[in-house]
Each structure stands twice: as structure tokens, then as C-alpha cells.
Amino acid sequence: MAQILPGESHTFGEYLFIPGYTSEECIPANVNLSTPLVKYRRGEETCPITLNIPMVSAIMQSVSDDRMAIALAKEGGMSFIYGSQSIEDEAAMVARVKNYKAGFVVSDSNVTPDDTLADVLALVEKNGHNTIAVTHDGTPNGRLCGIVTGRDYRISRMTTDIAVKEFMTPIEKLVTAPDTTTLKEANDIIWEHKLNSLPLIDAEGKLVYLVFRKDYAQHKDNPQELLDAQKRYMVGTGINTLDYEKRVPALVEAGADVLCIDSSEGYTIWQKKTLDFIRAKYGDSVKVGAGNVVDADGFRFLAEAGADFIKIGIGGGSICITREQKGIGRGQASAVIEVAAARDKYFEETGVYIPLCSDGGIVYDYHMTMALAMGADFMMLGRYFARFDESPTPKVMVNGTYVKEYWGEGSNRARNWQRYDLGGKSKLSFEEGVDSYVTYAGPLHDNVAKSLYKVKSTMCNIGVTNIPDLQKNSRLTLVSATSIVEGGYHDVTLRSTTTNR
């Protein structure tokens, strides 16, 4: 008969923290959430790559593109751009992140003079902002003809088939600057002329960047930006275990800071072959994570294969149905606890510390603190980031509520069969993910700040101000079903939203 592991499989929601002593120093402003992303040896002064916040975005079509990567890097985290696309397209996304200059924006909303108001409105709905560049060919770097903002049209007084050239602000009436203008000079021009944006154009009149008034304040508000040695935003990207011999060189050439093997299950020969190729070709200069695993054996396998970090979790994602379809997986809390113990043992034996990424199972913000306390160094989040303006999917209204589309990589919509390949298949035989909606939540910056403030506040209640101390000093207790009910509101009648205002 099969080996039956002792104990039950637990999730984060089955635990509570026991408060510790809170000193005067234990305030949210003093909490440091920096954490290692890749492995390092005992005695090394610094980890080769350190996150400023313990959050990375999932390797998913509906979550992580170059726009998400820039937004999350501004906060101190890292995105892993999805790999279920052509090698050329993925490399181009990586390159756009690495070539992005803080404050200098490549226009993502562009039309031609002959396009219509309907095209403008579609871009506003898709990208969530009203500044649209009018270029001769509708590309981000075409010859600039004008700009369209919300002040240039009124839907109630115009037909949607009117040409853009009829209502745009033409270039003759715009304040522009050469593409050699520094950010300080650009901001001075913006303030002097009371502009909301400033186009930077080259000698041929082609649009190169836009500089926005609002970005000046945002840049000041992001002191934890995750930057490389050349002051560029850092970005991760996903790879698979099939075309890695072609995909990896292209992504490295594009400037990817970290790679991650994207697979539903990492305890396989295919991941070892992929890691062997990367180590043979690049040595330790290319950083690559692997996974996913849920026990000590899986961790040890990937550690010895050369992974720089290891992802934990099978079937715990909100759109994942691997457990339902295959009966494979483990409660996320139990998986993190066992793998973290294996990581600590490996560190004692070898002097090599391999960071752990908890992937899946985060429903509430406090689950992030749970994952960190149980031994994870950072979390990979999908549903959480899919809700924000910066995710790749459109914002749509369903039943009177704004939502964003969110689908699993194992769904028929994504058709990412490479993620579930077991040696030679070229299609999905059955789905391991669903196609869904998540409630729209607004901008990433505001939501991440709120979530991390909760994490910091909880850490202060425990009596710690950094993640290593959280892992060493926190105390957890399992809760009963009745305790879980007691933890929410009960035995009261909620007042209406209107009454509470």
C-alpha cells in the first residue's frame, strides 16, 4: 500500500500568531522587509540579488508583462514575465523593462491622425489613462503629429467616427523637448509651462519618450526601487523545460536578471536537464529558480541540481485545479514548513542558503506574514496582482462591478502545455486551471503599500522588525473550525454601507 504521511495537510488559514513582546522600537516604520532572492554562501556579506519587499508576480499571461514588471520594481519587488509566448516577444518585454528610464515613459497608447474617437476611447478603456500620442504610423516611436487627452473631446457632443486629426492638439501647439533632455530639465519645463506631460522627440521629429508631471511625485514616493548596478529596473522571466536551449540565451541577451523554470511540478529530470544546460553554458553568472515542490525530497533534488531559489506549492493557486484533476499537491502551510526545515538542514550541511518562494495559497494579507514566518523568503502572487491597473488584462464591468480577467496557465485559454509537459506532448490533454474574473482593486502602488503595512503591523505585534527574526521568534497555533468562525464578526447584524458612512 502507499506510504501515508503522518498528520494532516494544513493551509495558512488554519494558524494564528501568538503575540510577543512589543518594544518601543517595534513600529511599522522600523520594519525592514528586504529578503534574499537567490542563493548565497555562509560568510558572504551580501546576497547577489536582494528584494526590498518579499513579493514577486506570477509567471502568468494575465499577470506579468513589462508594464507590471516596471510597476512592481518601483515598489521594490520583481515580476517574472510570462514565458508562454514566443521567444522574441518575451525577450522584447524584458528589453523594454531594462531600457526603461525612470520618469521617461515609452507611450503605450498610440493612434494615427486618421483613426477615430472610437479608437481613442478603446485605448482609454484598455490602458486606464487619457494621454494618447498621435504618430504618423500609430507606433510608440513614429513621427509625432499631436497629443490627445481627455480635454480634447466630449463624448456627449461628438460622434465616435470623427477623425483624431479633427480634435487632437497638433504638434504646433505642443511644448516639446529634445530626446537628450535630462529628467531634471524635463521636470523644470513641465513646471514652468504648467504641463501634465512633455513629449521628448528626436532630430527627425519622432516620439521617443513622454515625461509626466505625476511621475515626478511617484518617483519621490518609491525610495525602495529595485535597481541593478546600472540603475535599471530589475526583472525576472519564465522559461520552460523544452525550448530552453534557444529561449535562455535570448532572455539573457535581453538583460533578464533572473530566470525561473515555470512548471506545475519540479521534481523531474526535465528541470535537472534545464539547470545542467544553464550551468554548463553560463556557470553561476545566470541566476535561475526552479520548482514547484512540496516536500523535503523535492527540495533536495533541486538544490543539488543547482537551483538559485526554489518555489513551493502545488494546487494552492486560486485558479489552479491540479489537486482536483490529479489528486496531487499539499496544503501550502504544511509544504512550506517541511521544505523550510529541509532548507535549513541543507544550509547547516553545505553552508549554502537557498531562498524559498511560497507560490499559492495566499487569500488574505495576513497569509503573507504566515508564509514568511513558516520559512519562505518571499511570495509569488498571481490573483493578488491580477486585480490591479498594471496587469495585462482589460478592466470590464460584470453585473455592475468592475473586474479584471484572470486565467490559469493550465487553462485552455492560456494553452501553456509546456508548463505541464511530461516528456513530448504538444497539447493540453485536460485543464489544470480555470478562466475567471477577479474584482478590480485599482493601482498597484496603493494596494501593495496597504498589504505590506499589515505585514509590518503584525510583525510588530510579534515583537520583530525583520524577516529572519520573524522566522526565528514567531509562535503559531493551529485553530479549530470553531476558532476560525470566532475570528470573524459573529452574533451581530451588520449595518448597511450607507448607514456606516
Side-chain angles (χ1 to χ4, degrees):
M1 63 174 286
Q3 178 188 0
I4 308 298
L5 299 183
E8 297 177 322
S9 178
H10 295 290
T11 64
F12 296 133
E14 296 177 77
Y15 290 87
L16 287 174
F17 286 107
I18 302 298
Y21 171 68
T22 302
S23 68
E24 291 182 351
E25 289 72 32
C26 285
I27 60 174
N30 290 339
V31 174
N32 181 355
L33 292 179
S34 63
T35 189
L37 177 68
V38 296
K39 68 184 178 184
Y40 61 92
R41 292 189 175 275
R42 182 187 289 118
E44 291 181 347
E45 291 186 5
T46 59
C47 173
I49 302 177
T50 298
L51 297 171
N52 293 327
I53 61 172
M55 305 170 79
V56 301
S57 66
I59 310 168
M60 300 175 69
Q61 294 174 10
S62 55
V63 178
S64 298
D65 62 359
D66 49 309
R67 186 181 178 203
M68 174 63 72
I70 292 168
L72 187 50
K74 288 180 179 179
E75 304 302 319
M78 180 180 287
S79 285
F80 282 84
I81 290 173
Y82 67 93
S84 51
Q85 58 180 319
S86 72
I87 295 173
E88 295 76 18
D89 287 346
E90 187 178 9
M93 283 191 180
V94 171
R96 285 198 290 271
V97 178
K98 300 308 294 185
N99 292 332
Y100 181 90
K101 296 165 67 177
F104 294 84
V105 178
V106 176
S107 178
D108 65 353
S109 295
N110 308 282
V111 293
T112 71
D114 295 322
D115 285 332
T116 66
L117 177 58
D119 298 313
V120 169
L121 296 176
L123 284 174
V124 172
E125 178 68 20
K126 176 184 176 182
N127 295 328
H129 63 79
N130 287 291
T131 301
I132 297 175
V134 185
T135 58
H136 79 288
D137 57 0
T139 65
N141 301 118
R143 188 177 71 256
L144 184 64
C145 302
I147 293 287
V148 171
T149 71
R151 295 175 299 182
D152 292 312
Y153 58 87
R154 292 188 66 178
I155 300 175
S156 61
R157 296 188 177 184
M158 299 166 64
T159 60
T160 56
D161 60 354
I162 185 173
V164 169
K165 59 189 174 186
E166 299 297 327
F167 61 90
M168 70 180 185
T169 300
I171 189 170
E172 295 81 12
K173 296 183 178 180
L174 291 175
V175 177
T176 64
D179 60 338
T180 55
T181 304
T182 67
L183 184 58
K184 183 181 183 306
E185 291 169 343
N187 282 314
D188 288 342
I189 295 171
I190 286 173
W191 287 99
E192 179 184 351
H193 293 274
K194 300 180 181 180
L195 306 174
N196 287 322
S197 65
L198 175 69
L200 302 187
I201 58 177
D202 65 15
E204 298 178 351
K206 293 182 178 180
L207 178 63
V208 181
Y209 297 114
L210 292 171
V211 179
F212 291 91
R213 173 190 291 262
K214 63 181 178 64
D215 285 345
Y216 177 80
Q218 288 180 356
H219 185 64
K220 296 293 184 182
D221 289 339
N222 296 319
Q224 295 202 103
E225 291 175 320
L226 191 65
L227 304 173
D228 64 16
Q230 285 76 46
K231 304 298 183 183
R232 302 174 301 178
Y233 286 129
M234 301 190 77
V235 60
T237 191
I239 61 174
N240 61 63
T241 57
L242 293 175
D243 65 5
Y244 55 87
E245 293 186 359
K246 294 181 179 179
R247 190 173 293 266
V248 169
L251 297 176
V252 172
E253 177 67 22
D257 297 285
V258 189
L259 309 178
C260 185
I261 302 173
D262 182 30
S263 177
S264 64
E265 204 273 299
Y267 193 1
T268 73
I269 184 61
W270 317 113
Q271 294 225 357
K272 184 179 186 304
K273 287 185 175 181
T274 304
L275 290 166
D276 286 345
F277 167 81
I278 292 171
R279 294 295 171 241
K281 185 174 180 65
Y282 299 101
D284 292 329
S285 64
V286 171
K287 307 301 181 184
V288 55
N292 289 17
V293 299
V294 293
D295 67 354
D297 291 341
F299 168 84
R300 176 68 67 155
F301 173 79
L302 291 178
E304 293 177 348
D308 285 292
F309 68 83
I310 293 174
K311 287 204 295 156
I312 307 167
I314 295 176
S318 61
I319 42 69
C320 184
I321 54 173
T322 294
R323 297 180 193 174
E324 179 181 314
Q325 294 281 52
K326 290 183 174 180
I328 292 174
R330 194 176 195 182
Q332 191 67 4
S334 296
V336 172
I337 290 169
E338 178 172 328
V339 175
R343 184 269 314 281
D344 293 344
K345 181 179 179 182
Y346 186 82
F347 181 51
E348 291 176 5
E349 293 174 0
T350 65
V352 176
Y353 186 90
I354 301 179
L356 300 178
C357 171
S358 179
D359 179 15
I362 302 293
V363 180
Y364 302 109
D365 288 344
Y366 83 88
H367 290 170
M368 299 181 190
T369 321
M370 285 285 177
L372 296 171
M374 290 174 180
D377 296 278
F378 57 98
M379 294 82 61
M380 178 170 279
L381 305 164
R383 180 196 62 85
Y384 178 87
F385 287 114
R387 303 173 300 143
F388 302 152
D389 288 323
E390 293 82 0
S391 73
T393 64
K395 180 178 69 173
V396 297
M397 182 171 284
V398 176
N399 297 326
T401 301
Y402 278 113
V403 297
K404 299 205 76 176
E405 296 175 339
Y406 179 46
W407 60 90
E409 290 297 291
S411 67
N412 278 326
R413 181 172 184 175
R415 306 212 60 79
N416 184 8
W417 62 269
Q418 297 94 331
R419 189 175 196 272
Y420 301 88
D421 178 66
L422 294 176
K425 291 212 172 189
S426 59
K427 64 179 181 178
L428 284 173
S429 298
F430 56 89
E431 289 186 287
E432 292 188 43
V434 298
D435 194 347
S436 64
Y437 296 116
V438 289
T439 302
Y440 168 69
L444 180 146
H445 173 77
D446 296 342
N447 284 277
V448 167
K450 182 177 180 180
S451 294
L452 293 183
Y453 191 87
K454 291 181 185 178
V455 172
K456 293 177 180 181
S457 181
T458 303
M459 291 172 65
C460 291
N461 290 141
I462 295 167
V464 299
T465 57
N466 58 65
I467 293 173
D469 285 347
L470 173 67
Q471 295 168 343
K472 182 172 63 175
N473 298 332
S474 59
R475 295 177 297 158
L476 296 168
T477 180
L478 274 168
V479 296
S480 67
T482 304
S483 295
I484 293 174
V485 173
E486 182 186 57
Y489 65 85
H490 58 90
D491 302 312
V492 297
T493 300
L494 291 183
R495 298 172 64 186
S496 68
T497 303
T498 303
T499 305
N500 283 329
R501 286 178 180 170

